């Protein structure tokens, strides 16, 4: 049986590799996805998605709840203010579905407005500041937790 992990990404993350590489690194989101896919066992599928649309991201969270799929989520700017995304993510917690919030940079070392996450309170855990490795660490945790 195949385990699918949704790796969901919010606004502007489709611009990785060219957007502020001094902050976010030089890898593209496709590079990150390929690295994740290469690092997991054959019975694990990485379903990497990115959108700049809050409603689409919420719909993917609803899909994860309904299908009981673990989620690795980089909410990007939605981290700081999207109560709608937070409410959708809370449904994962209620359903007992893992949600790991990830960030390439460490938001706590950046501008003050980035210090608050409305998502963290409903996430299983948060991994931040390790660049693309933040995703790998999150996926590794999901795989270890599946029992």
């Amino acid at each position: 049986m195949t385990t699918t992990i949704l790796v969901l990404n919010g606004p502007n993350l489709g611009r990785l590799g060219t957007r502020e590489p001094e902050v976010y690194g030089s890898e593209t989101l496709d590079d990150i996805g390929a690295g994740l896919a290469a690092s997991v066992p054959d019975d694990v599928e990485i379903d990497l998605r990115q959108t700049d649309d809050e409603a689409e991201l919420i719909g993917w969270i609803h899909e994860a709840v309904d299908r009981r799929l673990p989620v690795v989520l980089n909410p990007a700017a939605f981290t700081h203010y999207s109560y709608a995304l937070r409410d959708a993510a809370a449904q994962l917690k209620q359903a007992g579905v893992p949600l790991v919030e990830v960030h390439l940079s460490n938001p706590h070392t950046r501008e003050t407005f980035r210090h608050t996450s409305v998502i963290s309170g409903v996430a299983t855990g948060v991994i931040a500041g390790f660049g693309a490795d933040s995703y790998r660490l999150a996926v590794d945790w999901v795989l270890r937790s599946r029992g």
Side-chain angles (χ1 to χ4, degrees), residues 76-113:
F78 295 144
T79 302
H80 315 295
Y81 68 88
S82 180
Y83 296 106
L85 183 60
R86 182 252 179 242
D87 289 348
Q91 294 174 48
L92 288 165
K93 184 175 185 175
Q94 290 171 330
V97 176
L99 167 65
V100 182
E101 179 184 348
V102 300
H103 298 282
L104 294 157
S105 67
N106 180 351
H108 301 286
T109 64
R110 299 185 61 202
E111 303 93 339
T112 303
F113 77 89

Side-chain angles (χ1 to χ4, degrees), residues 9-22 24-32 50-52 76 104 135:
N9 296 275
N12 296 310
L13 290 169
R15 307 287 297 170
L16 288 179
T18 59
R19 177 182 173 236
E20 298 180 81
E22 68 281 1
Y24 301 110
S26 59
E27 288 186 86
T28 66
L29 196 56
D30 286 341
D31 294 337
I32 292 170
Q50 188 276 326
T51 185
D52 296 329
L104 294 157
Y135 288 89

Side-chain angles (χ1 to χ4, degrees), residues 1 3 11 19 21 35 39 43 50 60 64 66 74 79 81 94 111-112 122 124 130 136 142:
M1 184 163 102
T3 297
R19 177 182 173 236
S39 72
D43 65 337
Q50 188 276 326
W60 292 340
D66 294 344
N74 186 337
T79 302
Y81 68 88
Q94 290 171 330
E111 303 93 339
T112 303
V122 296
T124 309
F130 296 101
R136 184 188 51 77
V142 168

Side-chain angles (χ1 to χ4, degrees), residues 126-137:
V126 180
I127 300 172
F130 296 101
D133 284 340
S134 294
Y135 288 89
R136 184 188 51 77
L137 293 165

Side-chain angles (χ1 to χ4, degrees), residues 47-60:
D47 185 349
L48 182 108
R49 303 176 190 181
Q50 188 276 326
T51 185
D52 296 329
D53 184 320
E54 183 180 30
E56 186 170 31
L57 190 56
I58 290 167
W60 292 340

